[in-house]
Amino acid sequence: MTTFNLISTTLCALLIAFAFAIKAKERGILSGSLKTGERLTGTADKLHCPALLLILALAAFTSLYKLTEIPAGVNIDEAGVAYDAYCLVNYGVDRWLYRYPVYFINHGRGMSAVYTYMTALNIKLFGFSMFSVRLFNAALRVAQTLAVYSLFKIVKGKRSALFASLLSTLLPIFFMVHRYGVDGYPLLAFFIIALSLLCQALKAGGLRRFALAGLAFGAALYSYALSYLMIPVFLLLTLLCLIRCRKVSLKQALALTLPLLLLAAPLIAELMVNQGLLPEIRSFISFPKLPAYAGDELSPANIPSTFLQSWQLFFNNSIPHSAIAPYYTLYLMSIPLVAAGFFLEAKDAVKALKGRRLDFSLIALSAFLASYGTGLLVGGFNITRLISVFAPLLWFIVCGARFVWRRLGLLFMFIPALYCALALSFYSYYFTSYNEDNYPIIYFDAGATELYRELREKYPDSFMYFLTYRAGATYTDSYIYALLGGLTSPYDFNASYIAEPENSSYGYNRFYIPVREIGGEIIYEVYENCVYVVYLPTTGETIDSLLEKLDESSLVREERYPYAVYSPQGLGQ
């Protein structure tokens, strides 16, 4: 696969170089190839609608196939979404007893609301299951594919739109981030939908279209907190360009921004609560104060270090649930296309600004600068924080490929053929070998909820040390898997929950290593009537010593990889 990656990337780069060479010599497009291409294009136009339906069907199938099985386990934030949604449906509050919060506390640092509320709707309609938890993100990918087509039909024409929608179905990042239910990743789809509506408004005019675009950008604010900065920056850059080009009236600008501000008002209030400007509000709709407010993460001082790490946008294989080697986020062959497309769109944008005329390249550059620039403000590279940048990156890929088509005619067909070959290999790997090669996946519980449920059925009144997910040096976040496995009432949970790392517990559940120091000696508290679940991949002297102490006890040890389970009578009969 590595060889094919190199070949496809090299061939793509050569095609782009050849196209630029032809343009530089002003020899135009290869005439024979163009005529053949035009004949084929005429035939292709007749199959345009069936081709689009086929692409949408492919997006739907790949989104739903083995949805609850791959990736294996439940993501730590996905578990939070699932339990909060369950609580909303059954109790009208989230896990911390807030009624319908505009922003969820989750594990303390917050979580955007749209995914949890849509999951609650799915649970109400289809019952509680991991399928209901992951369904919204899967469905959103189909909507995203259709929005990509709509966007590029406006800005580049029908043929480019079909190619773009095909790419959004074939590129790994547009698929993998829709395979599990967390906040953050939906921002990509929401941003593309809003871009499509904005470009439609700019092309067709009409205050209603601008208002609809404003509502779409406002809805996007509820998909990920970084959008609070990214979307205003994007709209500011865009409006400045449009004012320069005299392509937007005051009424149109107001029609775009007022619906956005209306939808943003609750989030502004939430920010004021967490800045200490307003007291916490508990009512029919709640505005909670986060115990670990993350607003201070944004700083211009982070730009140099995050910039140096941002090359990982094209790779990111350190987080296997977002990208995997050797396919990465966009396939390696996309890199020269992104570079070519960025150059072409930047050139057109400069010309448009100088000539004071509307060109959609201004939208592409504004989207890139806003997404990439605001992502750099957050310390440490994280693909979630930069997820919206893949919308303009897709735009640049299409522009680069379109340039090859216009200069080289039929030679362009190598590009979609290579993408299809790479996607066939990627999907084949993902649906057959991905789980085995990446199990257990970091930040996923790997079956802890099912294990908890099984243990509680056999040992309902035993204390259980549930050490399944390690966050830093503690296991406090394991509580969410116990809540999810037992579907505990949030009122019962809050009645006994202790959050301190060295004493994290609720009910009969413990989420800390049972160790204490007496006279300088470390004592491991191993009790013969308790249950212990220990995550085996965890390394370190403390956990190894605990396992050694457990092995010396009379408890029955059984392995449910990646866990070691110690219990009085075993899991057996």
Side-chain angles (χ1 to χ4, degrees):
M1 191 63 212
T2 302
T3 302
F4 187 74
N5 253 326
L6 294 174
I7 292 173
S8 61
T9 305
T10 302
L11 181 56
C12 191
L14 288 174
L15 287 172
I16 294 169
F18 192 20
F20 273 106
I22 289 175
K23 181 181 180 181
K25 293 183 178 180
E26 297 183 350
R27 291 172 57 186
I29 308 172
L30 300 180
S31 58
S33 178
L34 175 61
K35 291 178 181 178
T36 305
E38 286 177 342
R39 289 196 296 270
L40 289 175
T41 299
T43 303
D45 283 344
K46 298 177 183 178
L47 301 174
H48 191 86
C49 286
L52 177 59
L53 291 175
L54 184 62
I55 290 170
L56 292 173
L58 177 63
F61 174 76
T62 53
S63 296
L64 295 172
Y65 182 60
K66 294 187 176 181
L67 182 61
T68 60
E69 301 171 38
I70 310 173
V74 182
N75 178 271
I76 184 69
D77 288 324
E78 184 177 39
V81 167
Y83 183 69
D84 279 335
Y86 167 81
C87 291
L88 288 171
V89 171
N90 291 279
Y91 301 96
V93 296
D94 72 349
R95 88 187 78 156
W96 305 113
L97 306 184
Y98 288 92
R99 291 180 60 81
Y100 305 106
V102 299
Y103 194 73
F104 288 84
I105 290 178
N106 194 23
H107 301 297
R109 301 182 69 84
M111 181 169 62
S112 296
V114 67
Y115 202 98
T116 303
Y117 283 112
M118 293 307 300
T119 299
L121 176 61
N122 287 333
I123 291 173
K124 189 74 173 178
L125 293 173
F126 307 113
F128 182 81
S129 68
M130 285 313 299
F131 180 79
S132 295
V133 174
R134 292 182 171 180
L135 179 59
F136 175 63
N137 222 352
L140 195 59
R141 180 168 177 252
V142 181
Q144 172 184 274
T145 305
L146 189 59
V148 165
Y149 176 82
S150 175
L151 171 64
F152 283 91
K153 183 180 178 182
I154 296 166
V155 301
K156 298 296 179 184
K158 289 174 62 176
R159 299 167 194 169
S160 294
L162 199 63
F163 177 63
S165 60
L166 176 64
L167 279 184
S168 71
T169 308
L170 302 182
L171 294 173
I173 191 66
F174 287 87
F175 164 75
M176 293 190 70
V177 300
H178 288 281
R179 291 294 294 185
Y180 54 100
V182 296
D183 76 322
Y185 289 140
L187 174 60
L188 177 59
F190 275 82
F191 191 41
I192 291 173
I193 292 169
L195 285 175
S196 175
L197 292 171
L198 175 62
C199 290
Q200 183 179 352
L202 291 172
K203 186 171 184 177
L207 296 180
R208 290 183 180 178
R209 289 189 174 90
F210 279 96
L212 187 60
L215 288 173
F217 282 113
L221 295 174
Y222 290 84
S223 63
Y224 189 47
L226 194 59
S227 66
Y228 302 172
L229 180 61
M230 185 276 289
I231 287 176
V233 169
F234 165 73
L235 290 176
L236 177 62
L237 291 174
T238 299
L239 288 173
L240 287 175
C241 290
L242 294 175
I243 291 170
R244 163 74 181 177
C245 300
R246 300 190 181 95
K247 294 299 180 181
V248 64
S249 67
L250 178 60
K251 288 184 178 180
Q252 289 172 331
L254 290 174
L256 176 66
T257 55
L258 289 180
L260 170 67
L261 291 173
L262 180 65
L263 285 178
L267 296 175
I268 294 172
E270 172 68 17
L271 289 173
M272 294 176 70
V273 166
N274 283 280
Q275 291 287 352
L277 301 176
L278 286 176
E280 183 178 73
I281 302 171
R282 285 177 177 262
S283 60
F284 178 72
I285 298 175
S286 299
F287 298 80
K289 186 172 180 61
L290 303 179
Y293 181 56
D296 56 353
E297 285 186 347
L298 297 177
S299 171
N302 293 325
I303 293 176
S305 61
T306 310
F307 173 76
L308 293 175
Q309 299 174 60
S310 61
W311 59 270
Q312 295 181 56
L313 274 173
F314 294 102
F315 298 94
N316 196 48
N317 55 305
S318 62
I319 305 179
H321 50 278
S322 297
I324 45 176
Y327 305 102
Y328 307 112
T329 57
L330 299 168
Y331 307 122
L332 291 183
M333 67 170 288
S334 295
I335 295 176
L337 287 168
V338 167
F342 178 81
F343 171 78
L344 293 167
E345 290 296 273
K347 185 178 178 182
D348 288 345
V350 171
K351 289 181 179 179
L353 286 174
K354 287 182 177 179
R356 295 198 171 191
R357 59 178 178 81
L358 175 64
D359 192 289
F360 287 112
S361 59
L362 296 169
I363 306 298
L365 266 294
S366 296
F368 176 76
L369 292 173
S371 300
Y372 183 63
T374 55
L376 293 181
L377 293 172
V378 186
F381 176 82
N382 186 315
I383 201 167
T384 307
R385 296 161 182 165
L386 285 158
I387 192 64
S388 59
V389 81
F390 287 99
L393 289 183
L394 175 64
W395 190 312
F396 298 147
I397 292 171
V398 174
C399 289
R402 188 169 180 263
F403 178 76
V404 173
W405 164 255
R406 293 169 68 87
R407 294 290 162 180
L408 302 183
L410 269 184
L411 289 177
F412 158 80
M413 296 306 295
F414 278 105
I415 293 177
L418 289 171
Y419 272 121
C420 288
L422 285 165
L424 183 62
S425 175
F426 166 71
Y427 279 123
S428 176
Y429 171 79
Y430 187 86
F431 289 122
T432 59
S433 304
Y434 172 80
N435 269 356
E436 181 180 351
D437 290 349
N438 297 280
Y439 187 85
I441 306 173
I442 187 174
Y443 304 123
F444 281 71
D445 77 323
T449 53
E450 293 82 0
L451 182 58
Y452 177 87
R453 192 176 301 118
E454 185 177 349
L455 285 165
R456 271 292 165 234
E457 287 177 357
K458 184 160 187 179
Y459 302 101
D461 299 320
S462 295
F463 285 97
M464 184 190 304
Y465 289 87
F466 201 57
L467 311 176
T468 63
Y469 173 78
R470 186 173 185 179
T474 70
Y475 294 84
T476 54
D477 286 347
S478 294
Y479 81 89
I480 192 62
Y481 295 122
L483 286 174
L484 195 60
L487 292 180
T488 308
S489 159
Y491 292 99
D492 292 342
F493 166 61
N494 279 270
S496 60
Y497 181 59
I498 299 173
E500 289 86 355
E502 296 182 358
N503 194 31
S504 177
S505 62
Y506 80 87
Y508 288 103
N509 304 296
R510 303 290 181 262
F511 310 103
Y512 56 89
I513 296 176
V515 60
R516 55 197 173 99
E517 185 176 342
I518 300 179
E521 182 181 358
I522 300 297
I523 304 297
Y524 291 91
E525 298 174 330
V526 173
Y527 303 105
E528 306 296 329
N529 60 345
C530 292
V531 177
Y532 299 81
V533 179
V534 184
Y535 184 62
L536 289 175
T538 301
T539 58
E541 182 179 348
T542 302
I543 200 70
D544 292 341
S545 298
L546 173 63
L547 289 170
E548 183 180 348
K549 187 75 172 180
L550 287 166
D551 287 333
E552 293 172 355
S553 72
S554 63
L555 294 171
V556 178
R557 172 172 174 155
E558 296 167 283
E559 289 196 13
R560 292 285 185 90
Y561 187 76
Y563 307 109
V565 180
Y566 296 84
S567 59
Q569 300 174 8
L571 284 165
Q573 300 299 324

